Amino acid sequence: YHRRPTLGSEYRQLGAFLETKAFAAAPTFLQEVLEYDGTNLAVVTAAPHGFQSGDRVTWFVLFQNVRGFFVHPVGLEVLVDHSSLDVSQWSVSRVFYNGQYYRDMAQLESAYVQGRISVEKVRKAPWDGDFSSMRPRAPAAALFPVQFEPQGPRYSVRNNQVLFQAWSFAFGMSVSTGLRLFDIRHKGERVAYELSVQEAMSVYGSNCPAGMSTRYMDGSFGLGRYTSPLVRGVDCPYLATYVDTHSLSDSLRPRKRKASLCIFEQNLGSPLRRHYSNLQSLYYGGLVNSALVLRSITTVGNYDYVWDFIFYQNGAIEGKVQATGYPSSSFLHGDGLRYGNRLWEHTLGTIHTLFVNYKVDLDVGGVKNSLVAHDMAFEMTRAPWSPEQQIERPRLTKKVLDTEDQAAFRLQSKMPRYIYFAANSKNKWGHQRGYRIQITSFAGDHIPEASSMERAISWARYQLAVTRRKEEEPTSTSIYNQNDPWTPTVTFADFINNETITNEDLVAWITAGFLHIPHSEDIPNTVTVGNSVGFLLRPYNYYDLDPSIYSHDGVFFTSEQDFTACEINPLACLPKTASCLPNFPPFTYDGFRNM
């Protein structure tokens, strides 16, 4: 029972305990040092809750209760033992203030009253947070560019089914793992059975107790449960299609999040492919890179995750996450700069990793697939026409990865640059049809494997692991791993047991991530630029030629043609077809209702 996620009722009970028991034991300290009035302090909890299976003891970090409070620490942290089901048995196990540890709040109060404490008084911040406020510091000016479809959307959404050009798929939202897609088809043929987020995890460092012990596994809190209502025109294009989502968690009734998922087609502002011929014949051929995006944004505490699945006209799919929100912080004291950068007067932006895990259940040309690796090696050879000369010639290397152990690539290991799910069928040119997995990640080490809690997050050992698909292995983790990582409910490393993966139903588990060392430009909060990781699934000999050649968006004209004529060049029609602005709906937002 100690493994259960912390529910709202328990948080309320913990809040009442801090107020009536813990804080009541140090009234002078709280009033004189923190100017505590019952409302001006906010708390953030660390996780996991302790050091061993059965523990349920939590560090609570105190912040000024202002906007952006995550970067306003006051220096006080309280460890509460709430393992008993009898609330009256709860107690304070330890207190930390400005670098010093105390047995409980009463000892802190006594030390303060006797003048035996080093007090670091924090300047009181205004309600808007001052430096943490996201209020614009500049007046409004010319409006940013707005995207619209001149002749209306080219995709359709019916219930949870999406059609876009040659693509079709179904979408859903898991309360714990968030965004997921099923039955993804291109040109009517299934490419993937499931693409889904599995987990987002961060490991923090600090010289404060909560910061140094925090290993958040956000699926336990709920990546779907905390999906944000989306702001039209900022979180997604103004004219995107907005969809409500529902979740059932910590309640007897499902809750609706209005406009918490969006779908839109996006002109990426670059060509998908192009060529300008100025040799022999003169012509131009190009194709605009227009892709369909399915997006949700999760806000779990301080972090905001922008989750995208993107569908391109050449048959490629991208899974991407961008991180924003507020950096988590500790109170700056002592050797704090070993664990991050100073962000404000008393604020240490604490170093942390971010790891994201995806499940990618590809079905390439059918359910039975094999995993094949292609790469390059140099071979030394003599030039046939000049044997005294040597050539270093790149050649193609090929290998079938027969077992799960061969297909498990550690984070820092060298992985073949072309690795793909191969079908039993071949294309016109005799090659096995395939879909290639290409990962974008800057992940470091997740946590030492000697750690007692590492097995709970053992999926993060691998940048890629391919296993047989099994009904009893639906997810790489469990919502119970957060609060008892020492005896994990699901241990991903056990999925990898050297079974054969040739001509089997396979699943790829992909981990992407980065290291975040908060810096002064993370104030007021973190931008998405450079904080994006994920993966691409790309056709590899799957088709006989690039399927986007059949797109209606192609542009081609020669030097002999009248390229100002609509029937020759569709771009020539734009001044007419896009001359009228669409009918923009009025701005609405329901994000603050029913919270």
Side-chain angles (χ1 to χ4, degrees), residues 74-93:
V74 297
L76 178 65
E77 302 185 12
V78 181
L79 181 64
V80 177
D81 183 343
H82 53 113
S83 53
S84 174
L85 299 181
D86 181 351
V87 177
S88 68
Q89 300 299 310
W90 290 1
S91 62
V92 171
S93 299

Side-chain angles (χ1 to χ4, degrees), residues 91-110:
S91 62
V92 171
S93 299
R94 195 76 74 217
V95 173
F96 173 87
Y97 175 70
N98 192 23
Q100 298 297 315
Y101 288 87
Y102 302 89
R103 185 178 59 252
D104 52 26
M105 292 295 287
Q107 188 184 33
L108 172 69
E109 173 83 350
S110 172

Side-chain angles (χ1 to χ4, degrees), residues 264-528:
F264 56 94
E265 185 180 356
Q266 183 174 31
N267 182 333
L268 297 173
S270 63
L272 183 61
R273 48 180 171 75
R274 60 94 72 186
H275 181 64
Y276 163 67
S277 176
N278 58 2
L279 298 172
Q280 308 298 326
S281 59
L282 304 178
Y283 66 87
Y284 172 84
L287 177 64
V288 64
N289 192 5
S290 189
L292 187 81
V293 181
L294 177 73
R295 172 175 297 165
S296 72
I297 304 180
T298 301
T299 303
V300 185
N302 56 302
Y303 249 122
D304 295 65
Y305 302 103
V306 183
W307 304 100
D308 285 353
F309 285 114
I310 306 169
F311 296 84
Y312 295 93
Q313 297 189 66
N314 68 325
I317 309 169
E318 183 175 6
K320 183 173 74 171
V321 59
Q322 302 171 82
T324 175
Y326 281 95
S328 186
S329 71
S330 288
F331 191 78
L332 180 62
H333 74 93
D335 63 351
L337 294 181
R338 294 182 62 192
Y339 307 98
N341 288 316
R342 184 177 186 174
L343 305 185
W344 214 255
E345 189 176 359
H346 299 287
T347 306
L348 175 69
T350 47
I351 187 170
H352 58 278
T353 60
L354 175 69
F355 286 83
V356 173
N357 190 241
Y358 290 93
K359 180 181 182 180
V360 178
D361 184 353
L362 289 169
D363 289 341
V364 181
V367 172
K368 302 291 188 181
N369 292 148
S370 300
L371 191 67
V372 182
H374 284 183
D375 213 317
M376 186 205 84
F378 282 104
E379 63 180 11
M380 308 297 286
T381 186
R382 300 286 178 184
W385 66 95
S386 182
E388 69 277 9
Q389 301 297 326
Q390 198 173 51
I391 294 176
E392 299 84 16
R393 177 168 54 179
R395 70 171 181 86
L396 175 63
T397 63
K398 302 179 181 181
K399 184 180 181 182
V400 178
L401 305 175
D402 293 314
T403 65
E404 290 178 339
D405 285 20
Q406 290 178 335
F409 295 93
R410 295 286 184 135
L411 272 179
Q412 309 305 336
S413 68
K414 185 177 180 182
M415 194 170 82
R417 281 164 283 195
Y418 278 64
I419 191 162
Y420 65 97
F421 275 41
N424 285 321
S425 54
K426 295 183 178 180
N427 71 0
K428 184 178 179 179
W429 317 114
H431 296 296
Q432 275 185 294
R433 302 172 68 213
Y435 253 81
R436 176 188 172 196
I437 298 171
Q438 185 175 333
I439 301 171
T440 304
S441 176
F442 318 100
D445 297 324
H446 65 305
I447 201 170
E449 281 186 42
S451 167
S452 60
M453 66 176 67
E454 190 276 339
R455 279 175 53 78
I457 51 175
S458 53
W459 53 264
R461 296 178 192 174
Y462 309 98
Q463 51 188 315
L464 172 67
V466 176
T467 64
R468 276 197 193 181
R469 184 187 186 278
K470 296 178 180 176
E471 286 293 323
E472 61 270 27
E473 296 176 353
T475 56
S476 60
T477 185
S478 162
I479 60 171
Y480 301 107
N481 281 18
Q482 171 72 88
N483 290 339
D484 189 358
W486 309 282
T487 312
T489 305
V490 173
T491 304
F492 176 78
D494 292 344
F495 291 12
I496 303 166
N497 55 3
N498 214 30
E499 290 181 298
T500 180
I501 56 171
T502 303
N503 197 30
E504 296 285 351
D505 190 1
L506 303 180
V507 174
W509 308 86
I510 295 173
T511 297
F514 54 83
L515 172 68
H516 187 187
I517 306 173
H519 45 90
S520 55
E521 291 82 7
D522 284 311
I523 297 297
N525 74 342
T526 300
V527 299
T528 56

Side-chain angles (χ1 to χ4, degrees), residues 15-43 62-63 65 74 76 105 121 124:
F17 171 82
L18 287 171
E19 177 77 26
T20 61
K21 298 286 180 63
F23 293 171
T28 311
F29 171 84
L30 284 165
Q31 203 283 319
E32 294 184 4
V33 177
L34 304 183
E35 299 180 39
Y36 180 58
D37 62 7
T39 63
N40 65 332
L41 293 179
V43 297
L62 278 295
F63 297 86
N65 187 20
V74 297
L76 178 65
M105 292 295 287
K121 197 159 170 114
K124 189 172 183 180

Side-chain angles (χ1 to χ4, degrees), residues 153-158 161-164 263:
R154 306 194 302 177
Y155 59 89
S156 66
V157 183
R158 178 178 292 181
Q161 296 280 331
V162 178
L163 300 178
F164 169 67
I263 303 161

